Amino acid sequence: MVDQDRLEAARLFFSPYDLDASAAKKRSTYWIGYKVHFTETCDEDRPHLITHVVTAIGPIPDRDELPEIHAALQQQDLLPQQHLVDAGYVDAEALVASQTEYHLDLVGPTAQDHRWQAQEQKGYALPDFFIDWQHEQARCPQGQISSSWTPTRTRDQEVIKIKFGYATCGACPVRALCTHSRQRTLTVRRHEAHVALEAARQREQTKEFAEVYAGRAGIEGVHGKASAANGIAPVALHWRATHAPATRGNCRCHQFVSTL
């Protein structure tokens, strides 16, 4: 279900011609209207067939549409083995739900760690810490144990805040490699979601991922040409299935912006 507060906020910017059409932005594309999500098979040896279409409020995040898309495909017995999508659909919780509820593999670029430790590749990033889920604590690269473990919600997502004590960090000889603050804080997803996201990030670096995800290449251009005359601009979503739908093949999902 779409978060109601987010939906109401989206409605603050609307077209006088259509009260459900909202102002939205995706990367460099701005529009007033909707997003249209297409699901299409993409087996190399078979015709590509559109199997599902759904129209959504423009500003609603892409990942929020996945449950509806997957439920509809399941009802039609058209769920794929692999679902190729762009980064907007790949989220830790979406990775878990796709596998546990629909037994499909969600494939796409993950959101990268933008903290300075990971970006500069010279500090202690999240993968450098050992997370002890059973005892609800973390151990830093220097062997120190966290002082608190707090489940909470951030941006409507379940997360865990793990903090190390002020005294522990203050006395650390390599604190400059770890934090610019008085103490180090880690923010992680719940256990299943954290494991799924880290596994997806590791897979993304492999040759196998590149080969599988190549099946999504060119989709915006193909559908963009066909849609331009109708005021629909491509913004990217795609899913894939490796066999015919009845045998759970590969499919791709595409997403377009519908403008007024």
Side-chain angles (χ1 to χ4, degrees), residues 26-27 61-64 66 85-91 94 109 236-237 255:
K26 187 178 179 77
R27 292 188 285 274
D62 301 340
R63 65 176 179 270
D64 288 358
L66 276 180
V85 298
D86 76 1
Y89 299 86
V90 180
D91 173 77
L237 156 64
Q255 176 195 93

Coordinates of all heavy atoms in Angstrom, one line a residue, residues 26-27 61-64 66 85-91 94 109 236-237 255:
K26 N 12.1 12.7 -11.9 CA 12.9 11.6 -11.8 C 14.2 11.9 -12.6 O 14.2 12.1 -13.8 CB 12.2 10.4 -12.5 CG 13.0 9.0 -12.3 CD 12.3 7.9 -12.9 CE 13.1 6.6 -12.8 NZ 13.0 6.1 -11.4
R27 N 15.3 12.0 -11.8 CA 16.6 12.4 -12.3 C 16.4 13.8 -13.0 O 16.0 14.8 -12.4 CB 17.2 11.4 -13.2 CG 17.6 10.1 -12.4 CD 18.4 9.2 -13.3 NE 17.5 8.4 -14.2 CZ 16.9 7.3 -13.9 NH1 17.0 6.8 -12.7 NH2 16.2 6.7 -14.8
P61 N 7.3 6.7 -5.2 CA 8.5 6.0 -5.5 C 8.2 4.7 -6.3 O 7.2 4.0 -6.0 CB 9.1 5.6 -4.1 CG 8.5 6.7 -3.2 CD 7.2 7.0 -3.7
D62 N 9.1 4.4 -7.2 CA 8.9 3.2 -8.0 C 8.7 1.9 -7.2 O 7.9 1.1 -7.6 CB 10.1 3.0 -9.0 CG 10.4 4.2 -9.8 OD1 9.4 5.0 -10.0 OD2 11.5 4.4 -10.3
R63 N 9.5 1.8 -6.2 CA 9.5 0.5 -5.4 C 8.1 0.2 -4.8 O 7.7 -0.9 -4.5 CB 10.5 0.5 -4.3 CG 10.3 1.6 -3.2 CD 11.3 1.5 -2.1 NE 11.1 2.5 -1.1 CZ 11.7 3.7 -1.2 NH1 12.5 4.0 -2.2 NH2 11.5 4.6 -0.2
D64 N 7.3 1.3 -4.6 CA 6.0 1.1 -4.0 C 5.0 0.4 -4.9 O 4.0 -0.1 -4.5 CB 5.4 2.5 -3.6 CG 6.1 3.1 -2.4 OD1 7.0 2.4 -1.8 OD2 5.8 4.2 -1.9
L66 N 5.9 -2.2 -6.9 CA 6.2 -3.6 -7.1 C 5.2 -4.6 -6.5 O 4.9 -5.6 -7.1 CB 7.6 -3.9 -6.5 CG 8.8 -3.6 -7.4 CD1 10.1 -3.9 -6.7 CD2 8.7 -4.4 -8.7
V85 N 14.9 -4.7 -13.2 CA 14.4 -3.4 -13.0 C 15.5 -2.4 -12.9 O 16.7 -2.7 -12.7 CB 13.5 -3.4 -11.7 CG1 12.4 -4.4 -11.8 CG2 14.4 -3.8 -10.5
D86 N 15.1 -1.1 -12.9 CA 16.1 -0.1 -12.7 C 16.3 0.2 -11.2 O 15.6 -0.4 -10.4 CB 15.9 1.2 -13.5 CG 14.8 2.1 -12.9 OD1 14.2 1.7 -11.9 OD2 14.5 3.1 -13.5
A87 N 17.2 1.1 -10.8 CA 17.6 1.3 -9.4 C 16.4 1.7 -8.6 O 16.4 1.5 -7.4 CB 18.7 2.3 -9.3
G88 N 15.4 2.4 -9.1 CA 14.3 2.9 -8.4 C 13.5 1.8 -7.7 O 12.7 2.1 -6.8
Y89 N 13.5 0.6 -8.3 CA 12.7 -0.5 -7.8 C 13.5 -1.4 -6.8 O 12.9 -2.2 -6.1 CB 12.2 -1.3 -8.9 CG 11.4 -0.6 -9.9 CD1 11.9 0.1 -10.9 CD2 10.0 -0.6 -9.7 CE1 11.1 0.8 -11.8 CE2 9.2 0.1 -10.6 CZ 9.8 0.8 -11.6 OH 9.0 1.5 -12.5
V90 N 14.8 -1.2 -6.7 CA 15.6 -2.1 -5.9 C 15.8 -1.5 -4.5 O 16.4 -0.5 -4.3 CB 17.0 -2.4 -6.5 CG1 17.8 -3.3 -5.6 CG2 16.9 -2.9 -7.9
D91 N 15.2 -2.2 -3.5 CA 15.2 -1.8 -2.1 C 15.4 -3.1 -1.3 O 15.0 -4.1 -1.7 CB 13.9 -1.1 -1.8 CG 13.8 -0.8 -0.3 OD1 14.4 0.2 0.1 OD2 13.0 -1.5 0.4
A94 N 12.2 -4.8 -0.8 CA 11.6 -5.3 -2.0 C 12.4 -6.6 -2.4 O 11.8 -7.6 -2.9 CB 11.8 -4.3 -3.1
P109 N 20.4 -2.5 -10.2 CA 21.4 -1.8 -9.5 C 20.9 -1.4 -8.1 O 19.7 -1.0 -7.9 CB 21.7 -0.5 -10.3 CG 21.1 -0.8 -11.7 CD 19.9 -1.8 -11.4
A236 N 12.3 4.5 -17.4 CA 13.0 3.3 -17.1 C 12.4 2.3 -16.0 O 12.4 2.6 -14.9 CB 14.4 3.5 -16.8
L237 N 11.9 1.2 -16.4 CA 11.6 0.1 -15.5 C 11.5 -1.1 -16.4 O 11.0 -1.0 -17.5 CB 10.3 0.3 -14.7 CG 9.6 -1.0 -14.3 CD1 10.4 -1.8 -13.3 CD2 8.3 -0.7 -13.6
Q255 N 9.2 1.6 -17.4 CA 8.3 2.6 -16.8 C 8.4 3.9 -17.6 O 9.5 4.2 -18.1 CB 8.9 2.9 -15.4 CG 8.2 4.0 -14.7 CD 9.0 4.5 -13.5 OE1 9.8 5.4 -13.6 NE2 8.8 3.9 -12.4

